[in-house]
Amino acid sequence: MENVLEKIKELESGEVGIIIYSQVKQDILLSLNKGLLVPLASAAKVAIAFCIARLVEERHYKWTDIVEDVTLNPEEDSNEVYPHFQNRENLALRDAVEVMVACHDSFVADRIVQFCGGWEMINQKIKSYFKNINITQNPRDLDNKGELSEMLELLRLIHQGYKINPDLWVPVINGLVRQRGDIEGIPSHFLNHMTGGLDNVVVDIGIMGEFSKNPLLFVLGAKELPNRNKEKSADEIIIDAMKLIYNEYCNQEVDQENKSISNS
């Protein structure tokens, strides 16, 4: 993990934090600035999805409930990921949550939140679990923010919840799995994540590795970066760090196989 840390520290300006959690060890392998508060941008949609799943679990809503007057954001990629949902005005709640996560769709997010009680109510629900996560209607709002340690715990609860009760969590997981944020050198099915970004902010929250075995959970956030539209070095460093996390996962799997062989 030292090489991941060294790579992240190559960011010469701004603030950066990262946490990597091992399913094998049930423990944090790497932590840097875990209390860092970062604007979440689209990554806040994972928190919204978590909240909706909890409301379904508590039987306030059902995944089969119909969300009406849905409009898909034409600036996102739902026309490619969900071509069969184009021109649909109504979606089941489960489908709406999946599209919101998979396509970073703020239009769908707003409809879901309005359907489930409004932004103030959903924020109160999220804060009952995570006091430092705040979501806003506009994903680019700087008050749309979260603490890295809480975002990791949110992700851990989603992943753990799916293992225990897949029917409840499948819309959230489907969204993470279908999001198209591929990185060259990492098999796409080994990177199930949610990215968020602004001109000077990068956030990535995800699951690295074979989903049904022992993937690594990670959160990475950097803020106050040079303008990313003009200066690409920060993005390149973070992509390299993701590749190093993938290498750590591969090494972990080799270690596990060797232990199995030695014990047999």
Side-chain angles (χ1 to χ4, degrees), residues 42-96:
S42 286
K45 293 174 179 63
V46 178
I48 297 172
F50 170 85
C51 186
I52 304 305
R54 286 299 193 202
L55 291 171
V56 170
E57 182 179 43
E58 295 164 7
R59 302 191 178 182
H60 297 291
Y61 301 95
K62 300 189 294 291
W63 282 131
T64 53
D65 288 344
I66 301 301
V67 183
E68 298 180 338
D69 301 323
V70 171
T71 302
L72 301 176
N73 188 338
E75 295 183 4
E76 303 297 350
D77 60 359
S78 66
N79 61 325
E80 298 172 45
V81 183
Y82 297 93
H84 54 307
F85 285 172
Q86 305 306 306
N87 301 321
R88 287 269 303 272
E89 294 181 358
N90 304 331
L91 288 175
L93 182 58
R94 62 171 175 251
D95 294 331

Side-chain angles (χ1 to χ4, degrees), residues 3 7 32 53 64 68 70 76-77 121 143 147 174 181 191 197 239 248 259:
N3 55 354
K7 176 56 67 174
L32 173 69
T64 53
E68 298 180 338
V70 171
E76 303 297 350
D77 60 359
M121 196 285 284
D143 283 333
E147 184 181 281
N174 279 352
L191 180 57
I239 287 171
E248 293 288 346
K259 284 180 183 177

Side-chain angles (χ1 to χ4, degrees), residues 2-18 32 220 222 225-226 231-241 244:
E2 193 62 35
N3 55 354
V4 178
L5 189 58
E6 288 176 5
K7 176 56 67 174
I8 287 295
K9 287 183 175 179
E10 287 181 16
L11 289 168
E12 294 178 352
S13 59
E15 293 185 84
V16 63
I18 186 170
L32 173 69
L220 188 157
L225 300 171
E231 174 58 62
K232 301 297 182 185
S233 62
D235 285 43
E236 291 166 359
I237 289 169
I238 287 167
I239 287 171
D240 287 343
L244 291 171

Side-chain angles (χ1 to χ4, degrees), residues 40-253:
L40 294 173
S42 286
K45 293 174 179 63
V46 178
I48 297 172
F50 170 85
C51 186
I52 304 305
R54 286 299 193 202
L55 291 171
V56 170
E57 182 179 43
E58 295 164 7
R59 302 191 178 182
H60 297 291
Y61 301 95
K62 300 189 294 291
W63 282 131
T64 53
D65 288 344
I66 301 301
V67 183
E68 298 180 338
D69 301 323
V70 171
T71 302
L72 301 176
N73 188 338
E75 295 183 4
E76 303 297 350
D77 60 359
S78 66
N79 61 325
E80 298 172 45
V81 183
Y82 297 93
H84 54 307
F85 285 172
Q86 305 306 306
N87 301 321
R88 287 269 303 272
E89 294 181 358
N90 304 331
L91 288 175
L93 182 58
R94 62 171 175 251
D95 294 331
V97 165
E98 181 180 328
V99 172
M100 171 185 69
V101 173
C103 300
H104 294 202
D105 198 309
S106 57
F107 290 8
V108 177
D110 188 49
R111 284 301 306 130
I112 290 168
V113 170
Q114 299 297 350
F115 180 79
C116 293
W119 288 94
E120 185 176 345
M121 196 285 284
I122 294 297
N123 248 319
Q124 288 175 357
K125 184 69 176 173
I126 289 172
K127 287 181 186 299
S128 71
Y129 294 96
F130 306 106
K131 62 183 175 64
N132 292 315
I133 294 177
N134 189 72
I135 57 167
T136 60
Q137 184 174 3
N138 177 4
R140 301 186 67 83
D141 192 321
L142 295 181
D143 283 333
N144 189 59
K145 61 189 177 182
E147 184 181 281
L148 293 186
S149 61
E150 292 189 345
M151 293 303 291
L152 179 78
E153 179 61 11
L154 182 147
L155 180 65
R156 195 188 68 79
L157 289 174
I158 291 172
H159 183 262
Q160 182 184 55
Y162 182 74
K163 289 167 69 174
I164 296 168
N165 187 358
D167 288 343
L168 174 64
W169 292 97
V170 71
V172 186
I173 294 297
N174 279 352
L176 289 172
V177 168
R178 295 192 73 161
Q179 190 193 173
R180 303 192 309 171
D182 295 351
I183 294 175
E184 185 179 356
I186 303 176
S188 59
H189 62 293
F190 278 8
L191 180 57
N192 304 304
H193 65 145
M194 184 76 179
T195 59
L198 302 172
D199 291 346
N200 60 352
V201 174
V202 176
V203 180
D204 204 335
I205 300 164
I207 300 165
M208 180 75 78
E210 190 167 354
F211 193 96
S212 59
K213 289 192 175 179
N214 296 302
L216 298 175
L217 307 185
F218 68 88
V219 296
L220 188 157
K223 62 181 181 178
E224 298 169 16
L225 300 171
N227 189 307
R228 296 171 56 228
N229 296 315
K230 300 174 182 176
E231 174 58 62
K232 301 297 182 185
S233 62
D235 285 43
E236 291 166 359
I237 289 169
I238 287 167
I239 287 171
D240 287 343
M242 296 292 286
K243 292 177 180 178
L244 291 171
I245 295 171
Y246 174 63
N247 290 342
E248 293 288 346
Y249 165 76
C250 293
N251 292 337
Q252 167 195 278
E253 290 306 288

